[in-house]
Amino acid sequence: MRDIIDFSKVSKEEFNEIYNIAVDIMENKEKYQKACDGKVLASLFFEPSTRTNLSFTTAMYRLGGQVMGFSDSGSSSASKGESLKDTITVISKYADIIVMRNPQEGSALCATQYSEVPIINAGDGGHLHPTQTLTDLVTIKKYRGSLDNMTVGICGDLKYGRTVHSLIKSLAKYENIKFILVSPHELKLPEYIIDYMDSHNLNYEFETDLDNKINEFDILYMTRIQRERFDDIAQYERLKNVYILDEHKMSHAKENMLVLHPLPRVDEITDGVDLDPRAKYFEQAECGMYARMALILTLLENNKRKKPETISFANTDKKCINPKCITQTEKYLKPIFEDICGYCDKNLKK
Ligand code: NCD
């Protein structure tokens, strides 16, 4: 792989290699202090982020590299109307590797087509968030030893939570995984992820009450209700406190269950839970920095020999109907679908 756009495309072997490097970095930090000497990472955040942005920046500094970029689209030429294609074409001549977060779905895949250097998708709208998934898998493997044979409860905003979509697609490769998907009806998983689970014969069930199944979980992945992605703010107000994990609920969970959360947390986990040894979300954030260091090293190395994935463009003038798809604004993009948009995964048959 040259780019990281969708973590489900990363094989188990590739993940294991990145994991081993991450663990080696955790244990031998000094060895890596100059590993990226002379390299520049461009950090392009068209949408706000604290953790992901800072963890990439810190990761590159800890490898001895330099970082340049912007942390909101107002300070980039996008605010002057520049296309993503032109921004990426130019920046890929300045930098050795690009990390990009952009609110439009499919924007990272678009960027790979115009970049001379690896692109890391740091979140494309509500679509995917592969480096959070890398972080999640590294954390589970570190604290549990294996990614097979587990019941994974995922709770909260399954509709807009891009970390959830990436996580489900990526865990699909592992053996004997059962998903219990806890959300109110309004925040159920998008159709394309349900289709993905069906086509990969995954074992899953839907649940609306967190108490009902908490005793079955090996992993509980809590998520924030994503206020910024609601069109109807009254609906957000109604749903925002629908799940709150507290010490009482934790008392019904398995003794070795792990609680993960991509952070930021709002009210969905009480502060009291932080003291429970099963709460691993802060360790998860730390693992994320080491995982990103390992990823940067791997992609810089791969870039010497790998090309971006070739995309087969469709011979059609059909347009994607998802208003958040990158093809809506970047008109030069050729469609890449038959029934599913190759950029944002929207199923165009439904
Ligand atoms: C997540 C994100 O940005 O999607 N956060 C993160 O990656 N640290 C989750 C969220 O914002 O709720």
Side-chain angles (χ1 to χ4, degrees):
M1 69 199 157
R2 186 200 72 158
D3 310 287
I4 290 277
I5 304 306
D6 176 348
F7 204 76
S8 66
K9 305 253 167 77
V10 176
S11 70
K12 283 184 181 180
E13 293 69 33
E14 285 170 323
F15 168 72
N16 286 339
E17 278 173 33
I18 300 173
Y19 178 80
N20 291 338
I21 299 172
V23 171
D24 195 51
I25 298 172
M26 291 177 206
E27 289 167 2
N28 304 288
K29 298 191 182 63
E30 314 71 43
K31 194 171 122 190
Y32 292 89
Q33 273 168 1
K34 300 231 179 311
C36 284
D37 193 16
K39 300 282 183 209
V40 176
L41 177 142
S43 168
L44 313 184
F45 279 76
F46 295 88
E47 191 186 57
S49 154
T50 314
R51 224 156 317 267
T52 307
N53 189 355
L54 290 183
S55 78
F56 267 113
T57 302
T58 317
M60 193 58 174
Y61 286 153
R62 285 181 180 271
L63 292 167
Q66 309 284 317
V67 182
M68 56 87 165
F70 49 83
S71 53
D72 71 276
S73 57
S75 45
S76 82
S77 292
S79 64
K80 300 183 186 166
E82 186 177 51
S83 68
L84 186 60
K85 165 166 133 353
D86 287 4
T87 306
I88 295 296
T89 303
V90 172
I91 292 181
S92 85
K93 295 184 188 302
Y94 300 159
D96 298 288
I97 186 162
I98 297 176
V99 175
M100 183 177 89
R101 172 171 289 191
N102 185 296
Q104 285 179 290
E105 302 184 7
S107 48
L109 183 66
C110 163
T112 63
Q113 301 307 298
Y114 303 101
S115 177
E116 294 173 19
V117 300
I119 298 282
I120 299 177
N121 180 9
D124 56 336
H127 186 218
L128 295 169
H129 192 352
T131 67
Q132 182 60 46
T133 303
L134 170 66
T135 299
D136 301 340
L137 299 197
V138 166
T139 311
I140 297 173
K141 195 166 158 77
K142 178 168 159 48
Y143 289 100
R144 197 177 167 271
S146 161
L147 293 164
D148 297 314
N149 305 315
M150 54 187 183
T151 298
V152 182
I154 309 185
C155 176
D157 188 345
L158 310 191
K159 179 177 179 185
Y160 297 117
R162 54 190 166 194
T163 64
V164 170
H165 309 157
S166 286
L167 181 65
I168 293 174
K169 287 179 75 180
S170 301
L171 282 178
K173 291 196 247 330
Y174 293 89
E175 303 300 320
N176 193 21
I177 306 283
K178 177 175 178 187
F179 292 107
I180 301 183
L181 303 158
V182 187
S183 74
H185 185 70
E186 297 88 326
L187 298 178
K188 218 172 137 185
L189 278 179
E191 279 301 320
Y192 84 93
I193 298 289
I194 299 176
D195 292 344
Y196 189 92
M197 293 195 297
D198 288 336
S199 62
H200 289 74
N201 289 321
L202 298 187
N203 184 356
Y204 65 90
E205 59 186 72
F206 295 110
E207 179 55 66
T208 51
D209 190 336
L210 177 56
D211 282 312
N212 279 351
K213 291 282 162 80
I214 195 165
N215 60 337
E216 293 183 25
F217 301 156
D218 297 300
I219 306 289
L220 170 54
Y221 194 90
M222 290 296 293
T223 62
R224 173 178 74 88
I225 310 292
Q226 307 267 308
R227 184 170 60 148
E228 67 279 22
R229 303 204 191 279
F230 278 74
D231 294 326
D232 173 6
I233 208 66
Q235 189 187 45
Y236 167 75
E237 290 297 332
R238 221 169 358 92
L239 296 173
K240 66 179 182 188
N241 286 330
V242 60
Y243 302 113
I244 297 184
L245 180 67
D246 58 16
E247 289 149 282
H248 179 70
K249 285 195 175 61
M250 286 296 285
S251 69
H252 298 125
K254 287 186 185 172
E255 266 176 37
N256 58 356
M257 181 183 81
L258 301 179
V259 184
L260 302 185
H261 189 306
L263 302 178
R265 144 176 73 177
V266 187
D267 293 318
E268 58 278 3
I269 303 180
T270 61
D271 292 320
V273 176
D274 298 356
L275 304 173
D276 189 310
R278 294 170 290 182
K280 288 283 182 266
Y281 28 90
F282 294 124
E283 287 84 350
Q284 182 184 2
E286 185 181 0
C287 282
M289 180 184 70
Y290 295 117
R292 289 181 172 103
M293 289 171 79
L295 181 67
I296 291 170
L297 287 173
T298 304
L299 295 186
L300 283 174
E301 189 55 36
N302 285 355
N303 190 36
K304 294 179 190 151
R305 33 199 170 84
K306 305 229 167 153
K307 295 260 162 289
E309 210 182 302
T310 18
I311 292 181
S312 9
F313 294 101
N315 189 13
T316 169
D317 50 14
K318 212 157 58 168
K319 300 258 179 303
C320 181
I321 51 169
N322 173 5
K324 296 179 176 155
C325 180
I326 186 72
T327 55
Q328 302 293 349
T329 53
E330 308 288 314
K331 297 291 183 200
Y332 51 85
L333 287 173
K334 288 196 221 146
I336 39 170
F337 47 62
E338 289 306 327
D339 295 324
I340 293 178
C341 174
Y343 291 97
C344 70
D345 286 310
K346 175 80 189 164
N347 189 332
L348 303 165
K349 274 204 307 204
K350 291 190 176 171

